[in-house]
Amino acid sequence: MTESNVVRPSSSVLGLFMQQSLFDLPPTLTVAQLVRQIKDVVEADDVLNDVWVRGEVSNFSQAASGHVYFSLKDRDASMRCVMWRTDAARVFRLPGNGDAIEVHGKVSMYEARGEVQLYVDEIKLAGAGALWQEFERLRARLEAEGLFAAEHKRELPLFPRKIGVVTSREGAVFHDICTVLRRRYPLTQILLAPTLVQGANAAPMIAGAIKTINDFDIDVLIVARGGGSIEDLWAFNEEIVARAIYDSRVPVISAVGHETDFTIADFVADVRAPTPSAAAELVAPDARELRASVRAGARQLAQLLREQIGEARANLARQVYALERNSPRARIVNDRQRVDDLTRRIGLQMRQRIALKRQALAGAARHLAALNPEATLARGYAIVQEKQTGRVVKKKSQVAGRKEISVRVSDGQFDATTK
């Protein structure tokens, strides 16, 4: 190890260590005793317990546990650093290799390896990191105002007729968006509001383009640019752009940079797309999928219609049967049959009653014939009546003396006088 890589303790720490070594330590130490003694000395130093250090990041890694490990170096020295998961979670953007940063923490010993380490609890990015700090301040303020609120997010239209695009006229972004839309959904129209997407004048131009294109009859808006450094993308972190997106009449898709890039525009927009091409895929349906869906829907509709027609036919057959059964014609036929049955029954009953009457009449005729006076006369009897009164003579006393009488026999009548 070269001299430049050795971390030297301050004179106060060295003096304290020497005093303790002279008066407190046994003549021979174990390695653990020595490391623990150094750790106690280091942790007793007030400066090393509350220190800011500036340097460049190298050997950066983050364990599955969430803890962060890296080295902080400058031209003359290097120091191993550890940041626990809870502290790392509070950092909006962790640094990467080569980043210039300032860290706060305390110095201690990692006894297992006998290494002096800086235990970091706060990170400030220098250089480009200053932009990230500005990013975080603006993000926190706009979030507190509600510009990122979920209730403000709007659904994208399913079948947009006109799609607005705010991006540079030059470059591949607009071409990529058009290519994807022509392939996926050629029915839509694309309206470009050209603007600078990088540089000092880009932010007001982007905001103006968003406001201008909202005056046109568009259904949805894509705000896009390709990837780049944080400086290249900074226009999309400006407050004027964020508020223009928030005030947009139509839903906005933010497609700025690559998948790992985040801007304030992404948080304000209704939908974030990882790339401009991905935004084009999000904003419109795929015509091939639509055709397949239509075909599937047509098959389902045909099957449904067949089932409904079958049910309708069965229902019609039931209705026809019920109608025929309850129709006037059927009732007339039924009533006619009932009349015929009743007629037959009445005829039968009448014949039976006539026969009975005939029998009764024959019996009465026989009885009457038996009682008929003519029959009696035919047997030799005669009917004697008083000629004057017409009374039938039943007793001899009725004709005592000389009486005029009338005698009726079987073949006629004659008068006589009694003595």
Side-chain angles (χ1 to χ4, degrees), residues 238-255:
E238 295 285 356
E239 183 173 356
I240 188 174
V241 174
R243 295 196 179 276
I245 293 175
Y246 184 82
D247 294 334
S248 174
R249 177 181 58 83
V250 297
V252 178
I253 301 176
S254 176

Side-chain angles (χ1 to χ4, degrees), residues 15 18 37 57 71 79 86 89 183-184 186 207 212 215 222 270 306 308-309 315 334 365 390 394 410:
M18 291 176 64
Q37 184 65 29
V57 177
S71 295
M79 169 71 72
T86 54
R183 171 176 54 83
R184 287 177 59 85
T212 300
D215 294 333
I222 299 175
D270 298 282
R306 285 194 293 269
Q308 291 183 346
I309 290 173
N315 184 57
N334 187 56
K394 298 180 179 179
S410 62

